[in-house]
């Protein structure tokens, strides 16, 4: 089946000025690849500050002016140019952003959902979509500041669902919600996938991602290091040593930390960015590491888990 | 000698009652988990116990004395969910630490804080790196209770496990009492001696 979205070797960098005149180019995302097919939830998991949100902004074509993007974005088999993204975003491609600050603070929820349409059909649609997400009729009259965190999230999802998107991008949709509310929100995404949308879920919470995602792309220091099936995690079929370390660090598993910290943008050495912390590193890890197919998924590692210890 | 919240009631002016006759006791060396749905007043309880707010009714006692009567450094300190909002963005971390009275020798190494980080501003550090500074600052001598409000909720699992390992080592050495607020039941199970639900 043709994927809804294909991202191939995407890189995003920023041009910054230091001390006024010194220019430097800061690579934030490097060589990111992933695919999303219709009916599927794909999670991108990485720690906060690792540049995950930029992926969403890159796909939508709303990166800030001082950034450069390289690589290929293919949407429904055709290149996703900035012009095409501008036409599709908010319609076929919808974003569920991080928080209430993405709503217009001076506009009530109802008109915000209807986007300027005032006919009876639009009213019925907005009412139906609010009801679908458990929000009463009175929500239409509320301003964003009158919504709780969980309600605001549901309004944002309602706004995206109203367009019946083919690709839905959700950026950190759960922080600040308790487990039950977060579970409900994630359930809505799964539902939209069942109705045929491709869902890209960007999050730092591996445990929550595993509850709804079919596949998981793991992000480390701006690179995708592994694409795995969600079922690979509990089954012990992980490929990359970092993914394995993430899994082992969960409180429900070993709660075992590894030492060191993730390098920030521009701090990575040559070769594998995880090598300094990796139990399986070898001399060749300082060279170029390709993304290779392994056990139905993909891994960017020369000495993946399960293989011989170097 | 314990930290006691006795029959605490509290209301924010616009939201109505958040806490109603709630009691909680924390002993030295104890690690108590606090959980409950959003809006139940977990953070509010922490703010009362640390002296940021005064209860409408009830009292907070430390060693049997009202917390408000302690002078100087408050022996009850909070560690917040978003470290970037808990430090002065215009101060280098070195100055943030010295403002809090400096830190003991060896503590920075014990928390895996690299010397180079001291000369940076908060915006130049990640959340996990910054949270270590907030812990170092809270571990000033004289502090006996730490209230950790979703301290690692924004961090990845590896950093979360690192930070808790470091803090538990310090807390055990000093016999600190910890109140640990989290939505993550497996985390609380891992860390706490008992768990209270709000």
């Amino acid at each position: 089946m043709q994927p809804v979205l294909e991202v191939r070797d995407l890189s995003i960098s920023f041009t910054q000025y230091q001390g006024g005149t010194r220019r430097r180019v800061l690579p934030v995302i490097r060589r990111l690849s992933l695919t999303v097919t219709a009916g599927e939830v794909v999670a991108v998991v990485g720690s906060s500050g690792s540049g995950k949100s930029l992926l969403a902004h890159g796909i939508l074509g709303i990166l800030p002016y001082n950034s450069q993007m390289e690589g290929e974005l293919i949407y429904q088999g055709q290149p996703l140019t900035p012009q095409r993204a501008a036409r599709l975003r908010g319609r076929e491609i919808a974003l569920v952003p991080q928080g209430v600050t993405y709503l217009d603070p001076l506009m009530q929820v109802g008109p915000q959902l209807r986007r300027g349409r005032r006919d009876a059909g639009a009213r019925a649609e907005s009412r139906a979509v609010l009801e679908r997400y458990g929000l009463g009729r009175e929500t239409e009259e509320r301003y964003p500041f009158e919504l709780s965190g969980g309600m605001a999230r549901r309004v944002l999802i309602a706004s995206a669902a109203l367009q019946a998107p083919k690709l839905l991008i959700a950026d950190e949709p759960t922080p600040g919600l308790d487990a039950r509310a977060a579970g409900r929100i994630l359930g809505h995404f799964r539902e939209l996938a069942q109705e045929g949308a491709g869902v890209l879920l960007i999050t730092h919470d591996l445990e929550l991602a595993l509850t709804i995602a079919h596949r998981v792309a793991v992000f480390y220091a701006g690179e995708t290091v592994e694409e795995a099936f969600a079922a690979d995690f509990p089954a012990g079929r992980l490929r990359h040593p970092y993914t394995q370390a993430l899994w082992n660090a969960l409180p429900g598993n070993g709660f075992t930390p590894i030492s060191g910290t993730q390098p920030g943008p521009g701090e990575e050495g040559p070769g594998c960015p995880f090598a300094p912390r990796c139990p399986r590193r070898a001399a060749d890890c300082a060279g170029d590491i390709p993304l290779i197919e392994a056990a139905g998924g993909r891994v960017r590692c020369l000495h993946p888990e399960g293989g011989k210890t170097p | 000698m314990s930290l006691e919240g006795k029959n605490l009631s509290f209301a924010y002016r616009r939201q109505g009652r958040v806490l109603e006759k709630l009691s909680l006791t924390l002993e030295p060396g104890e690690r108590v988990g606090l959980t409950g749905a959003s809006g139940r007043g977990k953070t509010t309880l922490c703010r009362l116990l640390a002296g940021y707010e005064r209860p409408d009714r009830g009292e907070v006692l430390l060693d049997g004395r009202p917390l408000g009567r302690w002078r100087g450094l408050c022996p009850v300190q909070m560690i917040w969910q978003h470290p970037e909002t808990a430090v002065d963005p215009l101060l280098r971390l070195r100055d943030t630490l010295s403002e809090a009275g400096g830190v003991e020798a060896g503590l920075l190494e014990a928390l895996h804080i690299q010397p180079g980080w001291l000369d940076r501003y908060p915006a130049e550090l990640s959340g996990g790196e910054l949270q270590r500074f907030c812990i170092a600052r809270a571990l000033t001598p004289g502090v006996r209770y730490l209230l950790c409000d979703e301290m690692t909720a924004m961090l990845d699992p590896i950093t979360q496990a690192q930070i808790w390992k470091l803090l538990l080592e310090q807390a055990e050495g000093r016999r600190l009492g910890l109140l640990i607020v989290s939505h993550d039941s497996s985390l609380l199970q891992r860390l706490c001696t008992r768990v209270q639900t709000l």
Side-chain angles (χ1 to χ4, degrees), chain B residues 2-3 5 15 21 53 58-59 65 70-71 81 91 94 98-99 105 107 118 129-130 145 149 158 163 178 189:
Chain B
S2 48
L3 174 66
Q15 290 178 348
K21 289 198 178 152
E53 307 275 0
E59 52 185 353
R65 253 171 73 196
W70 287 77
R71 289 289 162 255
Q81 179 175 359
L91 285 186
R94 182 189 303 286
S98 59
E99 218 183 39
L107 183 58
L118 289 167
E129 290 162 356
L130 216 44
Y145 292 93
D149 187 7
I158 294 177
I163 286 199
L178 301 186
Q189 221 172 25

Side-chain angles (χ1 to χ4, degrees), chain B residues 130-152:
Chain B
L130 216 44
Q131 198 60 289
R132 286 165 216 247
F133 281 95
C134 293
I135 293 172
R137 178 172 67 171
L139 288 174
T140 303
V143 171
R144 292 161 43 205
Y145 292 93
L146 287 182
L147 316 178
C148 312
D149 187 7
E150 293 282 10
M151 179 177 86
T152 53

Side-chain angles (χ1 to χ4, degrees), chain A residues 147-197:
Chain A
L147 304 172
S148 74
M151 283 169 80
R153 292 276 158 65
R154 281 181 280 164
V155 169
L156 290 166
I157 295 174
S159 174
L162 195 56
Q163 311 300 318
K166 296 205 171 76
L167 175 65
L168 186 80
I169 304 169
D171 187 7
E172 292 282 10
T174 54
L177 301 182
D178 57 81
R180 258 180 55 211
R184 268 204 305 273
I185 297 284
L186 291 179
H188 295 321
F189 290 125
R190 181 131 210 177
E191 224 173 76
L192 289 166
Q194 277 159 359
E195 288 164 20

Side-chain angles (χ1 to χ4, degrees), chain A residues 23 39 42 67 80 188 192 243 271 309:
Chain A
R23 206 173 87 121
V42 177
S67 60
L80 188 62
H188 295 321
L192 289 166
T243 319
T309 316

Side-chain angles (χ1 to χ4, degrees), chain A:
Chain A
M1 194 165 61
Q2 182 185 309
V4 182
L5 178 75
E6 247 189 293
V7 179
R8 286 188 208 146
D9 275 330
L10 184 81
S11 298
I12 297 176
S13 54
F14 280 85
T15 306
Q16 283 188 335
Y17 286 89
Q18 271 185 319
T21 53
R22 266 182 303 146
R23 206 173 87 121
R24 66 169 182 166
V25 176
L26 207 60
V28 185
I29 291 181
R30 298 170 300 146
R31 306 196 295 183
L32 184 145
S33 301
L34 57 89
T35 52
V36 185
T37 48
E40 186 186 42
V41 180
V42 177
V44 176
V45 174
S47 61
S48 44
S50 66
K52 309 183 298 294
S53 298
L54 289 173
L55 168 64
H57 293 189
I59 295 168
L60 293 162
I62 52 172
L63 286 169
Y65 70 95
N66 62 336
S67 60
Q68 298 88 42
M69 190 163 80
E70 285 167 57
E72 275 183 286
L73 289 172
I74 316 275
Y75 174 73
Q76 306 268 30
Q78 301 286 323
L80 188 62
T81 58
Q83 295 77 16
R84 192 157 170 246
R87 238 181 5 254
L88 296 176
R89 68 180 175 232
R91 295 180 179 86
E92 280 186 29
I93 306 179
L95 173 73
V96 177
Q98 283 199 25
V100 63
T101 52
Y102 281 76
L103 291 168
D104 185 335
L106 300 178
M107 206 172 177
Q108 290 163 321
V109 168
Q112 215 159 145
L113 286 175
R114 292 191 287 270
R115 303 187 183 194
R117 289 166 58 203
R118 310 183 72 160
D119 50 296
R123 279 176 192 282
E125 270 176 38
S126 63
R127 197 166 300 156
V129 79
L130 285 175
E131 202 180 294
R132 173 174 176 184
Y133 294 108
L135 298 163
R137 215 175 254 208
E138 70 288 351
T139 314
E140 294 202 24
E141 270 88 65
R142 298 256 183 113
Y143 286 93
F145 79 91
E146 297 173 297
L147 304 172
S148 74
M151 283 169 80
R153 292 276 158 65
R154 281 181 280 164
V155 169
L156 290 166
I157 295 174
S159 174
L162 195 56
Q163 311 300 318
K166 296 205 171 76
L167 175 65
L168 186 80
I169 304 169
D171 187 7
E172 292 282 10
T174 54
L177 301 182
D178 57 81
R180 258 180 55 211
R184 268 204 305 273
I185 297 284
L186 291 179
H188 295 321
F189 290 125
R190 181 131 210 177
E191 224 173 76
L192 289 166
Q194 277 159 359
E195 288 164 20
V199 177
L200 185 63
L201 171 70
I202 299 176
T203 178
H204 77 287
D205 195 328
L206 175 62
E207 264 177 311
L208 274 175
L210 288 177
T211 60
I212 67 150
H214 301 93
R215 289 188 299 122
V216 178
V218 180
F219 209 63
Y220 185 80
E223 293 188 353
T224 28
V225 294
E226 174 162 359
E227 253 188 88
F229 295 101
D232 293 343
F233 284 80
R237 282 196 301 264
L238 295 173
R239 301 157 190 85
H240 199 281
Y242 172 66
T243 319
Q244 189 62 54
L246 263 186
W247 177 249
N248 294 344
L250 289 177
N253 302 341
F255 205 42
T256 329
I258 54 166
S259 59
T261 54
Q262 190 166 146
E267 288 173 9
E268 316 89 352
C272 175
F274 185 62
R277 307 170 73 185
C278 183
R280 303 175 67 83
R281 74 169 166 271
D284 51 356
C285 294
D288 188 51
I289 321 280
L291 193 64
I292 52 169
E293 307 278 332
R298 291 196 281 183
V299 63
R300 193 184 294 282
C301 181
L302 299 171
H303 310 283
E305 298 283 326
K308 243 182 15 223
T309 316

Side-chain angles (χ1 to χ4, degrees), chain B residues 3 6 11 15 21-22 24 27 34 36 38 48 60 64 79 90 97 116 119 128 145 179 183 185 193 196:
Chain B
L3 174 66
K6 275 189 166 170
Q15 290 178 348
K21 289 198 178 152
L22 190 102
L24 182 133
E27 306 287 345
L34 186 64
S38 314
L48 289 171
V60 177
I79 300 175
L90 300 180
L97 287 183
D119 293 313
Y145 292 93
L179 184 68
H183 284 128
S185 55
T193 45
Q196 185 163 342

